[in-house]
Amino acid sequence: MVCLAAGLSLSGCGSSVSPGPAAAIEGVAFPTVEGTSLNNRSFQLPAGFDAPYNVLLVAFLREQQADVNTWLSAAADIAADHANVEYYELPTISSGWTIARGWIDNGMRSGVQAFAARERTITLYTDTARFRELLGIDGPGQIWIGLVDRGGKVYWSTRGRATPETIAQLQREVRTLASPAAP
């Protein structure tokens, strides 16, 4: 189910929230949070994203990686097709686990061999309930996918596994905002 910032649900589990081309979703903002990539690069997000527009794949539970994987090919294609778009995986973990951060991050690092994939996987140790509240996410049961700028504006979001419909919606929204890549 997709939720707005006020906590109101929209019908149709997995349907997207979008106010229309190139307009931010009112009342929803990506929170300011610190994270570290699996290559040990520190980030202050959202300002520290490498591109003006970013496709974010946010998982809250380890077993959600399979759902994240359904988005990776489409996200990579979108980033390749647009000069000012990047994509990131953001495992979002309760700050209570900070004490085990080295062990958790090393475990994830060992499962992600490619340097570029480790660079775009940024682990967030934060107050996950507050993080979800600021994004209008009703619970940790599904991944959250969003199109976000460096100012934290959310232009589009959905929950759950990729479908042809949700990928097409994301592609349309990116086209309204982003510059095509040079041929």
Side-chain angles (χ1 to χ4, degrees):
M1 175 146 328
V2 178
C3 296
L4 300 173
L8 303 173
S9 298
L10 297 177
S11 61
C13 184
S15 62
S16 300
V17 174
S18 180
I25 300 172
E26 190 170 329
V28 178
F30 190 85
T32 300
V33 64
E34 293 180 5
T36 305
S37 77
L38 294 182
N39 286 335
N40 291 314
R41 178 178 164 203
S42 296
F43 286 85
Q44 179 74 28
L45 303 176
F49 285 126
D50 290 330
Y53 300 104
N54 303 279
V55 176
L56 307 180
L57 312 172
V58 180
F60 301 100
L61 304 169
R62 181 179 177 191
E63 55 271 15
Q64 292 173 333
Q65 185 61 48
D67 292 346
V68 169
N69 292 348
T70 67
W71 284 96
L72 289 176
S73 179
D77 290 346
I78 289 168
D81 291 344
H82 296 88
N84 54 352
V85 176
E86 186 54 82
Y87 70 101
Y88 296 91
E89 292 184 57
L90 303 176
T92 304
I93 301 168
S94 171
S95 55
W97 288 100
T98 303
I99 195 164
R101 178 184 203 140
W103 181 77
I104 294 169
D105 288 350
N106 283 334
M108 284 191 285
R109 194 174 293 116
S110 69
V112 180
Q113 301 302 313
F115 180 88
R118 287 194 313 259
E119 190 64 18
R120 77 170 120 296
T121 302
I122 304 169
T123 308
L124 309 178
Y125 290 88
T126 190
D127 177 344
T128 56
R130 180 71 178 140
F131 180 89
R132 289 190 320 269
E133 178 185 339
L134 291 169
L135 283 171
I137 300 170
D138 59 353
Q142 291 183 308
I143 64 170
W144 181 87
I145 302 84
L147 177 61
V148 177
D149 71 14
R150 287 185 184 140
K153 291 180 185 172
V154 178
Y155 294 91
W156 177 91
S157 71
T158 193
R159 300 286 307 273
R161 298 174 69 84
T163 66
E165 177 185 78
T166 56
I167 290 170
Q169 291 168 355
L170 175 57
Q171 290 168 331
R172 278 192 302 274
E173 194 66 26
V174 168
R175 281 193 299 271
T176 67
L177 295 168
S179 303

